[in-house]
Amino acid sequence: MTLGLTNCRILNKGKLVSADVLIEEGKIKKIGTFSAADRVIDCKNSILLPGLIDSHVHMREPGFDYKEGFVTGSNAALKGGVTTFLDMPNTKPPTVTVAALEEKRILAKKCAVNYGFYFGTSVTNIEEIKKAKNIAAVKMYLNETTGNMKTDNVDVLKAVINYSRLTAFHAEGKTVQTVLDVYHKYRHNGNKLYFCHIARKIEIDALKKSDAYVEVAPHHLFLTENDVKRLKGFGSMKPPLAKKSDQAALWDGIKRGIVDTIATDHAPHTIEEKKSSVPPYGVPGIETMLPLLLDAAHTQKLTLTDIQRLCCENPAQIFRMKGKGHIAVGYDADLTLIDPKKKTRISNETIVSKCGWSPWHGKVLKGSVEMTIVNGMIGYKEGQFFKTQGREVMFE
Ligand code: NCD
Ligand code: ZN
Ligand code: ZN
Ligand code: ZN
C-alpha cells in the first residue's frame, strides 16, 4: 500500500518548493515526482510540514480520565496537526515508578498519534529513575502545580542531573537561576536541562546565556494578564499569564534563538472545575497551537521556518527521537498539511478535547490544518477523522 501526495509545497532552506511525496509502509519513500501510487491525494499547493511534535502534554490517564484521555487527547492532536506528543507524569498514580510507567504504556496503546513519556521524581525514586527504559526525560516540579509533585530537594536535584541525560523542569521565576546554579556547581556529565513553559522576562534573562533548552507555550505567547479578567478561572494556569513586557520577551527570545521549542502544555480540566472558586491550573491547547502560530506568521511575529524548527526539528533533536522531525527519505511519514490562508474558527462547540473548551473561544485565525498523516495513515482530513494507530517513540 503506497500513498502519494502531489502538488505539495515543502520548506527547503527557508524557501517553499513544489514537490510530490511518496509514502510506503509508514515511511517517506521518495520526494520529487513518482510514477504511481495505490492512492493519490492532490494537495493543491498546500504546505506540507513534518508532523508537529508536542513535547509537553497532560493526557490525564490514568486517574483523571474525566478531564482527558489518550483517545480524546490524541484525536485533538490529529486536529491540531500534532503527530507525536510527550506525556507528563502528574497522573494518578504519578509516573514515578517503573510499574506506573508500564501501566501508562498499556493505556497509551489506544492513541491515534505517536507518543512518549516523561518520568517524574519523588524524594525516594532515584533507583526507579535508573530502571526506567525509553523515557523522553526526567521531569522535576520545583513549584506547586496540578498533581502535588513538587520535589524541591537539592539532593534529589543533584542526583537527577548527575544521572539523567535530559531533565525537564517546572521552574518559575528565580527558581530557574537556582537550577542553573546547581547545574554549574555539581557534576552533570554533559547532561542537559530543559525548561518547560518559560513565561517571563526574568526567566528568559537567566536562560539567554545558558545552554539549557527553553520551551514556551502558546498561552503565554497569545494571552497576557489583561485576559484574566475576561477568562476568570479559564485563564488560570501555572506559570500564570504575565505582563505584556514578559510576552514581548518571549517573542524576542524566539527571534534571537533563545527559545528552542514551542509546546502546548495541553492541560485540560473540566468546565465545572474551571468555574469553581478554586479553579485548577491549566488550559488545553493541542488543537489550537498550529492555527495560532500560522496566524502569527501573517503578522511576521515568526516565520514558517521558525514553526518547523521549534515544533518539529528541535523537539526531535532535543529528545533524540528516531526518524522524526523532518521530511526526508527514510523518515517516518508523520506529516501535516496546512493552508496558510484558510481561516480557522476556534469554538468551544467544536473542541475535540474531552474538556470541551478553549481559552481562545470565538477567535478567527488565518491558517488551518488540512490533513494529518500518522505513520503513513491519514488520521484527519478537512474536518473528518479516520482510524490510525499511534506508536511509542524510540529515543536514541
Ligand atoms: C499543568 C496540569 O494541569 O497538569 N497545569 C498548568 O497550569 N500548567 C501542570 C503544569 O504543567 O505545571
Ligand atoms: Zn508545569
Ligand atoms: Zn538554547
Ligand atoms: Zn504541564
Side-chain angles (χ1 to χ4, degrees):
M1 180 66 190
T2 54
L3 173 65
L5 308 176
T6 57
N7 303 313
C8 318
R9 288 186 294 157
I10 57 179
L11 279 168
N12 189 330
K13 299 189 178 80
K15 285 208 180 73
L16 285 169
V17 297
S18 296
D20 296 348
V21 176
L22 183 67
I23 297 163
E24 188 180 55
E25 285 174 16
K27 305 253 189 249
I28 298 170
K29 170 95 174 167
K30 200 167 176 217
I31 301 165
T33 49
F34 57 86
S35 48
D38 299 321
R39 181 175 177 195
V40 177
I41 290 173
D42 183 353
C43 294
K44 297 177 182 151
N45 274 326
S46 288
I47 298 169
L48 195 66
L49 298 175
L52 270 70
I53 298 169
D54 188 347
S55 33
H56 187 156
V57 311
H58 303 267
M59 290 308 186
R60 306 298 193 205
E61 271 196 74
F64 302 103
D65 51 358
Y66 66 94
K67 298 176 196 265
E68 187 70 290
F70 284 119
V71 172
T72 49
S74 63
N75 275 317
L78 280 177
K79 186 180 163 199
V82 172
T83 54
T84 300
F85 67 82
L86 299 181
D87 191 53
M88 285 293 174
N90 59 338
T91 43
K92 196 167 80 187
T95 319
V96 293
T97 62
V98 171
L101 174 65
E102 296 309 328
E103 182 193 354
K104 193 179 264 190
R105 271 201 169 111
I106 291 166
L107 293 168
K109 285 188 194 297
K110 50 188 188 280
C111 281
V113 302
N114 302 312
Y115 51 88
F117 307 105
Y118 285 89
F119 200 81
T121 65
S122 73
V123 267
T124 55
N125 81 333
I126 195 77
E127 289 310 314
E128 292 289 312
I129 290 174
K130 289 182 181 170
K131 277 188 272 176
K133 295 248 161 56
N134 200 45
I135 56 170
V138 173
K139 173 71 181 282
M140 221 174 151
Y141 292 91
L142 297 174
N143 303 93
E144 218 47 82
T145 184
T146 309
N148 305 314
M149 285 184 71
K150 181 168 154 183
T151 321
D152 60 353
N153 178 315
V154 178
D155 291 324
V156 175
L157 174 59
K158 288 194 293 199
V160 171
I161 60 185
N162 179 42
Y163 171 74
S164 172
R165 65 182 188 189
L166 185 63
T167 310
F169 292 95
H170 178 124
E172 297 180 39
K174 289 198 180 94
T175 311
V176 169
Q177 188 60 54
T178 309
V179 176
L180 292 172
D181 291 345
V182 172
Y183 177 78
H184 290 303
K185 198 157 160 211
Y186 297 96
R187 258 172 78 89
H188 51 76
N189 309 316
N191 292 331
K192 295 278 208 166
L193 310 181
Y194 180 93
F195 285 87
C196 298
H197 48 44
I198 285 305
R200 289 164 63 192
K201 183 170 187 305
I202 82 152
E203 298 163 356
I204 288 279
D205 287 342
L207 288 160
K208 67 183 170 200
K209 287 178 250 77
S210 84
D211 60 357
Y213 298 119
V214 176
E215 171 198 278
V216 298
H219 39 272
H220 297 121
L221 290 173
F222 296 103
L223 299 168
T224 65
E225 60 181 14
N226 299 333
D227 294 293
V228 179
K229 232 189 239 132
R230 172 177 61 86
L231 291 168
K232 303 193 181 71
F234 296 91
S236 157
M237 79 283 291
K238 289 281 245 151
L241 291 175
K243 297 193 186 314
K244 201 87 201 149
S245 53
D246 291 309
Q247 187 183 58
L250 304 184
W251 284 108
D252 187 54
I254 288 176
K255 281 241 151 75
R256 289 163 54 191
I258 299 162
V259 171
D260 299 290
T261 64
I262 305 178
T264 63
D265 190 9
H266 179 71
H269 297 284
T270 66
I271 290 176
E272 226 175 15
E273 289 172 323
K274 292 301 254 181
K275 277 187 173 161
S276 79
S277 56
V278 273
Y281 305 118
V283 295
I286 203 164
E287 60 199 279
T288 48
M289 174 167 77
L290 186 50
L292 283 162
L293 293 175
L294 294 174
D295 187 77
H298 286 289
T299 52
Q300 275 73 50
K301 294 193 90 126
L302 82 179
T303 65
L304 217 48
T305 301
D306 292 332
I307 297 174
Q308 180 161 307
R309 188 181 70 257
L310 297 164
C311 302
C312 312
E313 296 166 3
N314 284 358
Q317 182 247 319
I318 292 167
F319 294 93
R320 307 194 223 193
M321 295 179 186
K322 207 175 161 185
K324 302 216 178 285
H326 297 268
I327 300 178
V329 172
Y331 274 65
D332 294 342
D334 291 342
L335 300 160
T336 297
L337 190 72
I338 55 144
D339 183 337
K341 296 210 180 91
K342 194 155 150 192
K343 294 209 163 108
T344 295
R345 174 184 290 275
I346 300 178
S347 160
N348 291 347
E349 285 70 50
T350 53
I351 285 293
V352 169
S353 165
K354 198 179 275 181
C355 70
W357 64 275
S358 162
W360 291 285
H361 169 71
K363 248 203 145 36
V364 178
L365 301 160
K366 199 170 170 193
S368 82
V369 176
E370 293 297 286
M371 179 166 70
T372 308
I373 296 177
V374 179
N375 304 322
M377 294 168 275
I378 297 170
Y380 174 82
K381 191 171 186 292
E382 292 157 17
Q384 277 188 288
F385 291 86
F386 304 93
K387 177 100 188 94
T388 52
Q389 180 60 60
R391 276 199 294 263
E392 187 176 352
V393 176
M394 288 298 141
F395 301 104
E396 287 181 301

